[in-house]
Amino acid sequence: MLLLALDTSAAATVALLHDDVVVGRFASADTRSHAEVLAPAVHRILSEAGVAGADLDGVVAGVGPGPFTGLRAGLVTARTLAFVWGVPLHGVMSLDALAHDAAAGGAVAAGSRFLAGTDARRGEVYWAAYRASPEPGALPDLLDGPHVGAAATLPAGLPLVGRAAGLYPDAVDGVPAFAATDPDAASLARVARLRLLAGVPLRDTAPLYLRESDAQVPGPRKRATA
């Protein structure tokens, strides 16, 4: 199975996965240039791998949660590429990829409950609760979420993986090895692959914004009073 994955819920990241092997990847922490860097990164990765877009078994897009502008850039790029190449398009919640990465890396105990969280800015966290599978290599189960809220409002007593753990160390029980980690496109592709192989339906690519954009349409002008 050959999958191309893109995620811009936090960092801009692209990965090409052949079965379970990453054959190309790109990542940029610059959140101001998602739209500019994605298409060139995809072109370079496919060219270096000798793969044409139409050869893919699918394009996988991280659907967030994430900020409006950055998340939209990744979703629009993924939708456009899948349409042009005529290949299936799949959505995966970005926090699912982060949770799988942590569980596969042994950051949480098998069968235990934990949280995955990313930076929502404004002093808040995008988060979801999971249970790590007791079976090696299996995906964690989503228990609750996604949500957005202040770090102090997260469920107490559960370890937190993801960049939010490093941002709010006094408010959460962070896992040090995953305290600076954002969702990664390679993990996104692995989640999609495991679900496709198991016959589990994937999400569509509707974005998980969780709150309104900072950019608002101006209201009508107030009439001047004498």
Side-chain angles (χ1 to χ4, degrees), residues 9-35:
S9 62
T13 173
V14 182
L16 180 64
L17 193 78
H18 184 201
D19 292 333
D20 196 38
V21 178
V22 178
V23 295
R25 69 194 315 161
F26 165 84
S28 171
D30 185 357
T31 58
R32 299 168 297 178
S33 62
H34 287 345

PDB file of all heavy atoms in Angstrom, residues 9-35:
ATOM      1  N   SER A   9      -1.998  20.627  11.015  1.00  0.00           N
ATOM      2  CA  SER A   9      -2.697  21.020  12.240  1.00  0.00           C
ATOM      3  C   SER A   9      -1.773  21.761  13.197  1.00  0.00           C
ATOM      4  O   SER A   9      -2.228  22.551  14.028  1.00  0.00           O
ATOM      5  CB  SER A   9      -3.274  19.782  12.934  1.00  0.00           C
ATOM      6  OG  SER A   9      -2.242  18.893  13.320  1.00  0.00           O
ATOM      7  N   ALA A  10      -0.478  21.518  13.091  1.00  0.00           N
ATOM      8  CA  ALA A  10       0.530  22.203  13.913  1.00  0.00           C
ATOM      9  C   ALA A  10       1.682  22.582  12.986  1.00  0.00           C
ATOM     10  O   ALA A  10       1.673  23.639  12.378  1.00  0.00           O
ATOM     11  CB  ALA A  10       0.983  21.314  15.059  1.00  0.00           C
ATOM     12  N   ALA A  11       2.666  21.705  12.844  1.00  0.00           N
ATOM     13  CA  ALA A  11       3.710  21.899  11.848  1.00  0.00           C
ATOM     14  C   ALA A  11       3.193  21.443  10.486  1.00  0.00           C
ATOM     15  O   ALA A  11       2.205  20.713  10.399  1.00  0.00           O
ATOM     16  CB  ALA A  11       4.954  21.105  12.236  1.00  0.00           C
ATOM     17  N   ALA A  12       3.867  21.880   9.418  1.00  0.00           N
ATOM     18  CA  ALA A  12       3.573  21.368   8.085  1.00  0.00           C
ATOM     19  C   ALA A  12       4.416  20.123   7.866  1.00  0.00           C
ATOM     20  O   ALA A  12       5.644  20.176   7.942  1.00  0.00           O
ATOM     21  CB  ALA A  12       3.889  22.418   7.026  1.00  0.00           C
ATOM     22  N   THR A  13       3.767  18.994   7.625  1.00  0.00           N
ATOM     23  CA  THR A  13       4.499  17.741   7.492  1.00  0.00           C
ATOM     24  C   THR A  13       3.887  16.879   6.396  1.00  0.00           C
ATOM     25  O   THR A  13       2.668  16.842   6.229  1.00  0.00           O
ATOM     26  CB  THR A  13       4.534  16.994   8.852  1.00  0.00           C
ATOM     27  OG1 THR A  13       5.108  15.706   8.694  1.00  0.00           O
ATOM     28  CG2 THR A  13       3.141  16.838   9.432  1.00  0.00           C
ATOM     29  N   VAL A  14       4.762  16.236   5.625  1.00  0.00           N
ATOM     30  CA  VAL A  14       4.369  15.385   4.507  1.00  0.00           C
ATOM     31  C   VAL A  14       5.162  14.092   4.610  1.00  0.00           C
ATOM     32  O   VAL A  14       6.343  14.105   4.988  1.00  0.00           O
ATOM     33  CB  VAL A  14       4.664  16.055   3.150  1.00  0.00           C
ATOM     34  CG1 VAL A  14       4.197  15.179   1.989  1.00  0.00           C
ATOM     35  CG2 VAL A  14       4.024  17.434   3.066  1.00  0.00           C
ATOM     36  N   ALA A  15       4.531  12.960   4.272  1.00  0.00           N
ATOM     37  CA  ALA A  15       5.258  11.691   4.281  1.00  0.00           C
ATOM     38  C   ALA A  15       4.702  10.767   3.215  1.00  0.00           C
ATOM     39  O   ALA A  15       3.487  10.767   2.939  1.00  0.00           O
ATOM     40  CB  ALA A  15       5.174  11.019   5.647  1.00  0.00           C
ATOM     41  N   LEU A  16       5.579   9.980   2.621  1.00  0.00           N
ATOM     42  CA  LEU A  16       5.204   8.931   1.672  1.00  0.00           C
ATOM     43  C   LEU A  16       5.494   7.594   2.335  1.00  0.00           C
ATOM     44  O   LEU A  16       6.625   7.326   2.738  1.00  0.00           O
ATOM     45  CB  LEU A  16       5.999   9.071   0.373  1.00  0.00           C
ATOM     46  CG  LEU A  16       5.715   8.030  -0.713  1.00  0.00           C
ATOM     47  CD1 LEU A  16       4.273   8.145  -1.216  1.00  0.00           C
ATOM     48  CD2 LEU A  16       6.704   8.188  -1.881  1.00  0.00           C
ATOM     49  N   LEU A  17       4.454   6.782   2.466  1.00  0.00           N
ATOM     50  CA  LEU A  17       4.571   5.495   3.161  1.00  0.00           C
ATOM     51  C   LEU A  17       4.315   4.361   2.180  1.00  0.00           C
ATOM     52  O   LEU A  17       3.266   4.310   1.535  1.00  0.00           O
ATOM     53  CB  LEU A  17       3.555   5.438   4.303  1.00  0.00           C
ATOM     54  CG  LEU A  17       3.736   4.305   5.322  1.00  0.00           C
ATOM     55  CD1 LEU A  17       4.863   4.647   6.285  1.00  0.00           C
ATOM     56  CD2 LEU A  17       2.443   4.072   6.107  1.00  0.00           C
ATOM     57  N   HIS A  18       5.281   3.441   2.073  1.00  0.00           N
ATOM     58  CA  HIS A  18       5.109   2.230   1.274  1.00  0.00           C
ATOM     59  C   HIS A  18       4.981   1.067   2.238  1.00  0.00           C
ATOM     60  O   HIS A  18       5.955   0.692   2.887  1.00  0.00           O
ATOM     61  CB  HIS A  18       6.292   2.009   0.334  1.00  0.00           C
ATOM     62  CG  HIS A  18       6.107   0.836  -0.573  1.00  0.00           C
ATOM     63  ND1 HIS A  18       7.158   0.187  -1.181  1.00  0.00           N
ATOM     64  CD2 HIS A  18       4.977   0.187  -0.980  1.00  0.00           C
ATOM     65  CE1 HIS A  18       6.699  -0.812  -1.914  1.00  0.00           C
ATOM     66  NE2 HIS A  18       5.377  -0.829  -1.802  1.00  0.00           N
ATOM     67  N   ASP A  19       3.781   0.524   2.344  1.00  0.00           N
ATOM     68  CA  ASP A  19       3.453  -0.434   3.400  1.00  0.00           C
ATOM     69  C   ASP A  19       3.753   0.239   4.738  1.00  0.00           C
ATOM     70  O   ASP A  19       3.140   1.236   5.059  1.00  0.00           O
ATOM     71  CB  ASP A  19       4.196  -1.749   3.197  1.00  0.00           C
ATOM     72  CG  ASP A  19       3.675  -2.487   1.956  1.00  0.00           C
ATOM     73  OD1 ASP A  19       2.495  -2.281   1.590  1.00  0.00           O
ATOM     74  OD2 ASP A  19       4.444  -3.248   1.350  1.00  0.00           O
ATOM     75  N   ASP A  20       4.721  -0.247   5.518  1.00  0.00           N
ATOM     76  CA  ASP A  20       5.000   0.394   6.804  1.00  0.00           C
ATOM     77  C   ASP A  20       6.336   1.127   6.787  1.00  0.00           C
ATOM     78  O   ASP A  20       6.874   1.479   7.835  1.00  0.00           O
ATOM     79  CB  ASP A  20       4.991  -0.656   7.923  1.00  0.00           C
ATOM     80  CG  ASP A  20       4.885  -0.015   9.308  1.00  0.00           C
ATOM     81  OD1 ASP A  20       4.154   0.988   9.441  1.00  0.00           O
ATOM     82  OD2 ASP A  20       5.549  -0.500  10.244  1.00  0.00           O
ATOM     83  N   VAL A  21       6.871   1.355   5.592  1.00  0.00           N
ATOM     84  CA  VAL A  21       8.190   1.972   5.464  1.00  0.00           C
ATOM     85  C   VAL A  21       8.042   3.399   4.937  1.00  0.00           C
ATOM     86  O   VAL A  21       7.383   3.630   3.915  1.00  0.00           O
ATOM     87  CB  VAL A  21       9.087   1.167   4.512  1.00  0.00           C
ATOM     88  CG1 VAL A  21      10.445   1.851   4.339  1.00  0.00           C
ATOM     89  CG2 VAL A  21       9.275  -0.255   5.038  1.00  0.00           C
ATOM     90  N   VAL A  22       8.639   4.359   5.645  1.00  0.00           N
ATOM     91  CA  VAL A  22       8.636   5.742   5.195  1.00  0.00           C
ATOM     92  C   VAL A  22       9.727   5.905   4.140  1.00  0.00           C
ATOM     93  O   VAL A  22      10.906   5.712   4.421  1.00  0.00           O
ATOM     94  CB  VAL A  22       8.889   6.713   6.368  1.00  0.00           C
ATOM     95  CG1 VAL A  22       8.941   8.148   5.868  1.00  0.00           C
ATOM     96  CG2 VAL A  22       7.809   6.563   7.425  1.00  0.00           C
ATOM     97  N   VAL A  23       9.328   6.268   2.921  1.00  0.00           N
ATOM     98  CA  VAL A  23      10.303   6.402   1.835  1.00  0.00           C
ATOM     99  C   VAL A  23      10.579   7.860   1.497  1.00  0.00           C
ATOM    100  O   VAL A  23      11.442   8.153   0.656  1.00  0.00           O
ATOM    101  CB  VAL A  23       9.837   5.639   0.581  1.00  0.00           C
ATOM    102  CG1 VAL A  23       9.796   4.157   0.853  1.00  0.00           C
ATOM    103  CG2 VAL A  23       8.471   6.137   0.111  1.00  0.00           C
ATOM    104  N   GLY A  24       9.876   8.774   2.139  1.00  0.00           N
ATOM    105  CA  GLY A  24      10.136  10.196   1.943  1.00  0.00           C
ATOM    106  C   GLY A  24       9.349  11.010   2.941  1.00  0.00           C
ATOM    107  O   GLY A  24       8.223  10.645   3.293  1.00  0.00           O
ATOM    108  N   ARG A  25       9.943  12.092   3.417  1.00  0.00           N
ATOM    109  CA  ARG A  25       9.227  12.922   4.389  1.00  0.00           C
ATOM    110  C   ARG A  25       9.747  14.355   4.347  1.00  0.00           C
ATOM    111  O   ARG A  25      10.849  14.632   3.893  1.00  0.00           O
ATOM    112  CB  ARG A  25       9.351  12.353   5.803  1.00  0.00           C
ATOM    113  CG  ARG A  25      10.728  12.428   6.409  1.00  0.00           C
ATOM    114  CD  ARG A  25      10.844  11.544   7.650  1.00  0.00           C
ATOM    115  NE  ARG A  25       9.704  11.672   8.546  1.00  0.00           N
ATOM    116  CZ  ARG A  25       9.387  10.770   9.495  1.00  0.00           C
ATOM    117  NH1 ARG A  25      10.115   9.678   9.636  1.00  0.00           N
ATOM    118  NH2 ARG A  25       8.361  10.963  10.289  1.00  0.00           N
ATOM    119  N   PHE A  26       8.898  15.263   4.863  1.00  0.00           N
ATOM    120  CA  PHE A  26       9.227  16.678   4.944  1.00  0.00           C
ATOM    121  C   PHE A  26       8.521  17.239   6.164  1.00  0.00           C
ATOM    122  O   PHE A  26       7.403  16.845   6.492  1.00  0.00           O
ATOM    123  CB  PHE A  26       8.739  17.425   3.692  1.00  0.00           C
ATOM    124  CG  PHE A  26       8.707  18.925   3.855  1.00  0.00           C
ATOM    125  CD1 PHE A  26       9.839  19.690   3.665  1.00  0.00           C
ATOM    126  CD2 PHE A  26       7.522  19.565   4.228  1.00  0.00           C
ATOM    127  CE1 PHE A  26       9.803  21.065   3.833  1.00  0.00           C
ATOM    128  CE2 PHE A  26       7.480  20.941   4.386  1.00  0.00           C
ATOM    129  CZ  PHE A  26       8.623  21.697   4.192  1.00  0.00           C
ATOM    130  N   ALA A  27       9.180  18.184   6.850  1.00  0.00           N
ATOM    131  CA  ALA A  27       8.555  18.857   7.983  1.00  0.00           C
ATOM    132  C   ALA A  27       9.094  20.262   8.103  1.00  0.00           C
ATOM    133  O   ALA A  27      10.288  20.510   7.887  1.00  0.00           O
ATOM    134  CB  ALA A  27       8.788  18.092   9.287  1.00  0.00           C
ATOM    135  N   SER A  28       8.229  21.201   8.433  1.00  0.00           N
ATOM    136  CA  SER A  28       8.614  22.581   8.674  1.00  0.00           C
ATOM    137  C   SER A  28       7.820  23.098   9.852  1.00  0.00           C
ATOM    138  O   SER A  28       6.598  22.930   9.910  1.00  0.00           O
ATOM    139  CB  SER A  28       8.338  23.448   7.443  1.00  0.00           C
ATOM    140  OG  SER A  28       8.528  24.825   7.746  1.00  0.00           O
ATOM    141  N   ALA A  29       8.501  23.735  10.794  1.00  0.00           N
ATOM    142  CA  ALA A  29       7.839  24.286  11.969  1.00  0.00           C
ATOM    143  C   ALA A  29       7.302  25.686  11.724  1.00  0.00           C
ATOM    144  O   ALA A  29       6.655  26.265  12.600  1.00  0.00           O
ATOM    145  CB  ALA A  29       8.800  24.305  13.156  1.00  0.00           C
ATOM    146  N   ASP A  30       7.557  26.252  10.540  1.00  0.00           N
ATOM    147  CA  ASP A  30       7.087  27.599  10.216  1.00  0.00           C
ATOM    148  C   ASP A  30       5.594  27.552   9.916  1.00  0.00           C
ATOM    149  O   ASP A  30       5.178  27.094   8.849  1.00  0.00           O
ATOM    150  CB  ASP A  30       7.859  28.144   9.017  1.00  0.00           C
ATOM    151  CG  ASP A  30       7.498  29.593   8.705  1.00  0.00           C
ATOM    152  OD1 ASP A  30       6.612  30.153   9.390  1.00  0.00           O
ATOM    153  OD2 ASP A  30       8.101  30.165   7.780  1.00  0.00           O
ATOM    154  N   THR A  31       4.790  28.036  10.836  1.00  0.00           N
ATOM    155  CA  THR A  31       3.335  27.963  10.671  1.00  0.00           C
ATOM    156  C   THR A  31       2.795  29.050   9.741  1.00  0.00           C
ATOM    157  O   THR A  31       1.594  29.076   9.466  1.00  0.00           O
ATOM    158  CB  THR A  31       2.639  28.100  12.041  1.00  0.00           C
ATOM    159  OG1 THR A  31       3.020  29.351  12.636  1.00  0.00           O
ATOM    160  CG2 THR A  31       3.037  26.963  12.953  1.00  0.00           C
ATOM    161  N   ARG A  32       3.662  29.925   9.234  1.00  0.00           N
ATOM    162  CA  ARG A  32       3.202  31.008   8.362  1.00  0.00           C
ATOM    163  C   ARG A  32       3.322  30.664   6.887  1.00  0.00           C
ATOM    164  O   ARG A  32       2.910  31.454   6.035  1.00  0.00           O
ATOM    165  CB  ARG A  32       4.007  32.283   8.648  1.00  0.00           C
ATOM    166  CG  ARG A  32       3.873  32.806  10.071  1.00  0.00           C
ATOM    167  CD  ARG A  32       4.899  33.881  10.359  1.00  0.00           C
ATOM    168  NE  ARG A  32       6.252  33.348  10.270  1.00  0.00           N
ATOM    169  CZ  ARG A  32       7.368  34.066  10.435  1.00  0.00           C
ATOM    170  NH1 ARG A  32       7.265  35.359  10.674  1.00  0.00           N
ATOM    171  NH2 ARG A  32       8.558  33.506  10.347  1.00  0.00           N
ATOM    172  N   SER A  33       3.886  29.505   6.549  1.00  0.00           N
ATOM    173  CA  SER A  33       4.149  29.207   5.137  1.00  0.00           C
ATOM    174  C   SER A  33       3.621  27.845   4.713  1.00  0.00           C
ATOM    175  O   SER A  33       4.138  27.237   3.777  1.00  0.00           O
ATOM    176  CB  SER A  33       5.659  29.281   4.866  1.00  0.00           C
ATOM    177  OG  SER A  33       6.358  28.313   5.642  1.00  0.00           O
ATOM    178  N   HIS A  34       2.584  27.340   5.406  1.00  0.00           N
ATOM    179  CA  HIS A  34       2.054  26.021   5.058  1.00  0.00           C
ATOM    180  C   HIS A  34       1.700  25.924   3.574  1.00  0.00           C
ATOM    181  O   HIS A  34       2.079  24.967   2.888  1.00  0.00           O
ATOM    182  CB  HIS A  34       0.801  25.724   5.876  1.00  0.00           C
ATOM    183  CG  HIS A  34       1.077  25.421   7.318  1.00  0.00           C
ATOM    184  ND1 HIS A  34       2.331  25.120   7.793  1.00  0.00           N
ATOM    185  CD2 HIS A  34       0.244  25.354   8.393  1.00  0.00           C
ATOM    186  CE1 HIS A  34       2.264  24.880   9.098  1.00  0.00           C
ATOM    187  NE2 HIS A  34       1.009  25.031   9.483  1.00  0.00           N
ATOM    188  N   ALA A  35       0.957  26.897   3.080  1.00  0.00           N
ATOM    189  CA  ALA A  35       0.471  26.833   1.700  1.00  0.00           C
ATOM    190  C   ALA A  35       1.617  26.865   0.692  1.00  0.00           C
ATOM    191  O   ALA A  35       1.532  26.247  -0.373  1.00  0.00           O
ATOM    192  CB  ALA A  35      -0.496  27.992   1.442  1.00  0.00           C
TER     193      ALA A  35
END
